[in-house]
Amino acid sequence: MDGGVSLILFTALSAASSLVQGIGAYQQGREAQKSAERQSESVLRAARYNDWLRQQRMKRLIARNLAEAGMGGSLSRSDLAVIADNAVLSELAGDIDLYNARVQAMQIRTQGRQIAMQGKTALFGGLLGAGAAIADYSTLRKEYDYYTKPGNKFSDVRVDRGKTPGIPFF
């Protein structure tokens, strides 16, 4: 195989390798972002369900407390105040839990976006690497032609035709 052909193959493989690595990282980033979106939706769904369960438990607790207080024949203001305080505290706890779930979902989405951006950056790097490998071909070709050209001071350089065809062997 001629050294020029080897150089062309090397350049093509280098460019393709850079491009394939960039595309792979880009696809991983997109999949990570989709996974983060699904995970954040799951976190929000679980928080809404837990809030609904908390509301149902609180309704049952209020009903039971009202029934117990009413069984004695009279409801005092203190009984109603305790029931109201419990209801307010329960709502506050539920609101805090929902807020924390929203924050967690937002953090998960942000991480997914960051990974997707890293994938886009890697794709851009792969494109630059492929372009650089192709652009470097002309320089490599000129150097190869110079060192293998008969009549120059390097013309006595042995060329290893066995393992690495066309590459000067010192």
Side-chain angles (χ1 to χ4, degrees):
M1 183 183 296
D2 179 86
V5 174
S6 297
L7 193 57
I8 290 171
L9 283 174
F10 171 75
T11 301
L13 286 174
S14 177
S17 173
S18 293
L19 193 58
V20 166
Q21 286 176 350
I23 290 171
Y26 175 71
Q27 288 175 340
Q28 282 181 333
R30 283 183 38 201
E31 289 302 316
Q33 185 176 11
K34 288 177 187 176
S35 175
E37 288 294 327
R38 287 189 300 267
Q39 187 178 358
S40 69
E41 285 302 318
S42 176
V43 165
L44 288 175
R45 199 174 313 115
R48 283 188 218 109
Y49 179 71
N50 287 337
D51 187 52
W52 179 81
L53 286 176
R54 182 201 48 77
Q55 288 174 356
Q56 297 304 313
R57 280 192 299 265
M58 196 62 214
K59 286 178 184 176
R60 285 192 299 272
L61 180 64
I62 289 172
R64 190 183 75 212
N65 287 344
L66 285 173
E68 287 176 358
M71 288 176 78
S74 67
L75 262 133
S76 67
R77 283 186 148 173
S78 62
D79 291 337
L80 292 175
V82 168
I83 292 171
D85 285 346
N86 286 338
V88 168
L89 291 175
S90 176
E91 280 299 314
L92 286 174
D95 290 345
I96 290 170
D97 289 345
L98 285 174
Y99 174 79
N100 288 337
R102 286 187 192 108
V103 169
Q104 183 182 2
M106 187 171 46
Q107 288 171 341
I108 292 168
R109 280 192 201 109
T110 301
Q111 286 176 340
R113 287 187 199 116
Q114 287 173 340
I115 293 170
M117 187 56 72
Q118 288 172 354
K120 288 178 185 177
T121 303
L123 176 61
F124 183 68
L127 289 171
L128 284 179
I134 292 169
D136 197 35
Y137 168 74
S138 63
T139 305
L140 291 174
R141 182 60 195 209
K142 287 177 187 174
E143 288 179 9
Y144 174 80
D145 288 344
Y146 177 76
Y147 286 112
T148 57
K149 180 178 172 183
N152 68 19
K153 64 181 180 178
F154 297 104
S155 63
D156 62 343
V157 173
R158 263 187 339 151
V159 175
D160 180 9
R161 300 252 182 234
K163 298 176 186 169
T164 53
I167 306 295
F169 178 73
F170 296 97

